[in-house]
Amino acid sequence: MEDYCYYKNFKIHYKVSGSGPAVVLLHGFTESLDIWNDFAKGLAVSYRVVAMDLPGHGLSECVAQVHTMEVMAACVKMVTDALDIKQFVLIGHSMGGYVSLALAALHPAMVKGLGLFHSHAYADSAELLKNRMRTNNLIKKNHYNFLSGFIPSLFTPENQMKYVNEINALVLGSKKMNVDGVVAGNAGMAERGDRTHVLKNAVYPVLFIIGKQDTRLPFDKALEQISLPSDSTALIMGDVAHMGYLEAREKTFHAVKTFVDRCYSDCI
């Protein structure tokens, strides 16, 4: 099933597949729900899978000049409320992980399990904040050029060659985004605060998927956050950067499926 909800009269696009306990999949910056097609198909054998386009991405409209993580989390909750889903396992890739943490902070009782897929709970450093400001200036000047360089940089050099067709598809898909959506998402990430307290206070299992060659998340910081939750599982891959759902599709899907199974082991 594919449909829309309306957040303050702005369209938010989502897809639902399968039936059973719920899993919500959130994509990253300049991506869309399409990144989860293979994962959703596999998970839908046992679960009700909800994938959505975050504001300004895919077929969802911009809802504000700055898409804070809280605003995007409100859109996620709006979709799950519309589907009468009270609790779910939440898996977020990159920016989707930041949104997941915001939702978990606001509505912890809704979270059955939390998966940070190449994502983390830390706020941007002063240097990263300056980089985001420079990035938004580049996006405003020519977001097509920015996206053509940004997306390949998320893969290891070897995988840039191996997955050239997939990278081209991601670039083409991202170029359909309105420049305002790209800017709003980047600005929202800049405004997010530290959410390590969410991990420390989590009463549900937490999954970390980490690539040792991920330039967006230093490996020492990735390891540091693994120790924060009381129930923590990690998949660490040496030959992967930031795009494990493509760079190591089978391995990462198995990690997500096993994690979701464990989260719901008390009710299936």
Side-chain angles (χ1 to χ4, degrees):
M1 180 188 77
E2 183 172 358
D3 207 345
Y4 293 90
C5 282
Y6 287 84
Y7 179 83
K8 298 182 179 179
N9 296 321
F10 298 105
K11 291 194 298 185
I12 301 297
H13 176 239
Y14 67 91
K15 288 183 180 180
V16 182
S17 53
S19 60
V23 182
V24 175
L25 304 175
L26 301 180
H27 63 78
F29 181 55
T30 74
E31 297 171 341
S32 74
L33 58 74
D34 289 336
I35 72 164
W36 298 118
N37 285 345
D38 290 340
F39 279 61
K41 182 178 180 180
L43 290 168
V45 173
S46 305
Y47 300 102
R48 187 182 188 191
V49 182
V50 180
M52 61 177 285
D53 287 328
L54 293 168
H57 291 69
L59 299 180
S60 291
E61 296 179 328
C62 288
V63 304
Q65 287 187 329
V66 176
H67 289 153
T68 66
M69 303 304 102
E70 291 81 3
V71 164
M72 290 197 274
C75 292
V76 177
K77 186 176 185 297
M78 179 192 66
V79 170
T80 56
D81 285 350
L83 296 170
D84 196 29
I85 296 173
K86 307 299 184 186
Q87 196 173 46
F88 44 84
V89 174
L90 190 55
I91 307 291
H93 176 250
S94 194
M95 183 183 76
Y98 306 154
V99 177
S100 299
L101 286 160
L103 192 149
L106 293 166
H107 307 285
M110 299 187 76
V111 181
K112 186 73 173 177
L114 173 63
L116 297 183
F117 202 131
H118 302 308
S119 192
H120 61 86
Y122 304 107
D124 280 351
S125 65
E127 181 180 356
L128 284 174
L129 285 172
K130 289 180 181 178
N131 286 339
R132 287 203 192 277
M133 292 177 64
R134 285 195 291 266
T135 295
N136 265 356
N137 288 331
L138 292 173
I139 293 168
K140 290 173 183 177
K141 287 180 180 178
N142 192 324
H143 74 294
Y144 295 104
N145 284 349
F146 165 75
L147 293 167
S148 295
F150 169 70
I151 291 173
S153 74
L154 302 176
F155 293 76
T156 67
E158 295 79 10
N159 285 333
Q160 287 180 28
M161 296 170 45
K162 182 177 180 181
Y163 295 105
V164 63
N165 292 333
E166 290 84 352
I167 291 171
N168 287 338
L170 286 169
V171 171
L172 287 173
S174 69
K175 285 182 176 179
K176 295 176 183 178
M177 290 180 65
N178 185 291
V179 63
D180 292 338
V182 186
V183 170
N186 194 49
M189 288 189 288
E191 288 192 9
R192 76 186 194 282
D194 181 277
R195 289 208 169 89
T196 52
H197 67 280
V198 175
L199 298 180
K200 292 176 182 176
N201 298 328
V203 296
Y204 40 77
V206 180
L207 169 68
F208 299 93
I209 294 179
I210 297 166
K212 283 188 176 181
Q213 298 190 51
D214 189 349
T215 58
R216 264 62 189 181
L217 175 57
F219 188 53
D220 59 338
K221 299 294 287 185
L223 290 179
E224 183 180 289
Q225 69 175 353
I226 293 173
S227 65
L228 298 178
S230 60
D231 185 340
S232 181
T233 302
L235 171 63
I236 301 172
M237 299 169 289
D239 56 350
V240 168
H242 196 70
M243 306 293 269
Y245 66 86
L246 283 173
E247 294 177 285
R249 189 192 305 271
E250 291 184 7
K251 189 179 294 185
T252 54
F253 173 76
H254 177 74
V256 169
K257 174 64 163 57
T258 302
F259 177 71
V260 174
D261 288 345
R262 187 164 73 85
C263 290
Y264 282 121
S265 61
D266 60 342
C267 57
I268 61 174

